[in-house]
């Protein structure tokens, strides 16, 4: 427990940190949650150490925010995305010096962690069987198309299309005042599979997909590989129509 000694003329902020920590640790101890109690104690010790640098709450909060930025993204200040922040790794591709998930190719700058695929269910396209998202023993599945970026094909209504995206390019507006990486947008996925191979699909009108399309410029490809037809994919929708602002899809 932290000692609150009025004789030491501690600031109100220091007193508040100690009092709140003591109260919280007591509650966690009563609940038998010693790990959370230790977390509170260490967090309070860190804040108390920071008060040695500033007694101003706004400044202290700014310091903690910067620490959090570094722990989450490995950077203290926004990426400028200027040419000097990139190092060329191979012909046509450069990687940001400060964040290894930001790349620049011949098109523009893209972010590997713009979105994260979350499998909502599996669908056995051969036997017409759905499996819940917690299905076991699915680790043996491999993507139908190997190499390059991971593809996410699009479902329009009830139609499986041959249109997919594999990269999320940053919009020009992101470059103006520097850019901080954002938490990955979680995209719900239906993993269609036949035997050992799978193809991932997402719903074009899902809120998460709409958010991704609003935040980034997706690299969209129309795939005419006939193997997709075995999964039930239709080839009757063109990508320009699907992504057109005037589209009724």
């Amino acid at each position: 427990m932290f000692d609150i000694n009025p004789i030491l003329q501690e600031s109100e902020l220091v007193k508040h940190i100690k009092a709140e920590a003591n109260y919280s640790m007591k509650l966690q101890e009563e609940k038998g949650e010693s790990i959370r109690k230790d977390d509170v104690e260490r967090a309070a010790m860190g804040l108390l150490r920071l008060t040695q640098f500033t007694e101003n709450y706004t400044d202290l909060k700014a310091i903690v925010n910067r620490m959090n930025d570094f722990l989450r993204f490995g950077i203290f200040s926004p990426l400028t995305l200027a040419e000097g922040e990139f190092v060329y790794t191979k012909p046509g591709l450069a990687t940001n010096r400060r964040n290894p998930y930001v790349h620049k190719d011949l098109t523009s700058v893209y972010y590997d962690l713009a979105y994260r695929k979350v499998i909502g269910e599996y669908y056995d396209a051969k036997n017409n069987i759905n499996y819940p998202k917690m299905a076991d023993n699915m680790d043996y599945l491999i993507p139908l198309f190997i190499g390059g970026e991971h593809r996410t094909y699009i479902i329009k209504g009830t139609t499986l299309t041959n249109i997919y995206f594999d990269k999320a390019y940053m919009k020009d507006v992101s470059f103006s005042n520097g850019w901080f990486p954002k938490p990955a947008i979680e995209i719900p996925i239906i993993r269609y599979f036949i035997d050992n191979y799978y193809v991932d699909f997402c719903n074009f009108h899902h809120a998460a997909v709409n958010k991704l399309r609003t935040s980034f410029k997706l690299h969209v490809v129309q795939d005419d590989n006939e193997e997709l037809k075995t999964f039930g994919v239709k080839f009757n929708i063109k990508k320009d129509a699907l992504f057109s602002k005037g589209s009724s899809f």
Side-chain angles (χ1 to χ4, degrees), residues 34-246:
S34 58
I35 294 179
R36 293 185 180 276
K37 174 180 175 291
D38 292 343
D39 289 344
V40 171
E41 182 178 17
R42 284 161 176 73
M45 290 173 64
L47 287 172
L48 290 171
R49 182 58 186 267
L50 288 178
T51 61
Q52 296 176 16
F53 299 96
T54 175
E55 292 295 338
N56 183 281
Y57 177 76
T58 302
D59 289 344
L60 183 60
K61 186 176 181 180
I63 291 172
V64 174
N65 286 338
R66 283 289 179 254
M67 293 170 66
N68 186 54
D69 287 338
F70 183 82
L71 291 175
R72 293 176 67 191
F73 306 116
I75 54 178
F76 284 117
S77 60
L79 302 175
T80 67
L81 301 178
E83 191 69 28
E85 280 195 356
F86 289 85
V87 55
Y88 288 91
T89 53
K90 62 181 181 180
L93 182 68
T95 299
N96 192 274
R97 296 175 184 274
R98 300 170 59 201
N99 187 306
Y101 302 106
V102 176
H103 307 279
K104 178 185 289 187
D105 62 14
L106 298 177
T107 300
S108 187
V109 178
Y110 65 94
Y111 183 40
D112 282 342
L113 303 183
Y115 61 95
R116 183 173 71 89
K117 297 196 295 187
V118 179
I119 302 174
E121 64 178 291
Y122 293 87
Y123 177 70
D124 184 341
K126 183 177 182 179
N127 299 302
N128 192 26
I129 300 175
N130 285 85
Y131 294 91
K133 61 182 179 180
M134 298 303 291
D136 296 326
N137 304 320
M138 294 295 187
D139 293 341
Y140 67 91
L141 296 175
I142 59 177
L144 179 64
F145 304 110
I146 300 176
E149 307 294 333
H150 293 293
R151 304 177 181 185
T152 303
Y153 288 79
I154 294 171
I155 299 176
K156 176 255 174 177
T158 59
T159 301
L160 306 182
T161 77
N162 61 326
I163 302 167
Y164 71 85
F165 60 88
D166 58 4
K167 292 179 185 176
Y169 286 103
M170 296 180 195
K171 294 188 174 181
D172 293 341
V173 68
S174 302
F175 302 169
S176 56
N177 297 315
W179 182 78
F180 249 119
K182 303 294 191 298
I185 299 172
E186 295 190 344
I187 305 297
I189 295 295
I190 303 175
R191 178 157 290 180
Y192 279 63
F193 68 94
I194 293 177
D195 298 326
N196 295 333
Y197 298 96
Y198 73 80
V199 177
D200 285 342
F201 292 90
C202 71
N203 191 308
F204 183 76
H205 287 298
H206 191 280
V209 177
N210 286 334
K211 181 179 180 180
L212 182 64
R213 291 168 50 213
T214 300
S215 303
F216 295 88
K217 291 189 292 188
L218 299 181
H219 178 242
V220 181
V221 179
Q222 188 167 307
D223 187 352
D224 293 325
N225 192 313
E226 294 290 326
E227 291 182 83
L228 288 169
K229 290 184 177 180
T230 61
F231 288 81
V233 171
K234 305 297 183 183
F235 286 53
N236 59 341
I237 298 176
K238 302 301 180 183
K239 72 171 185 176
D240 291 342
L242 181 62
F243 281 84
S244 170
K245 289 185 179 181

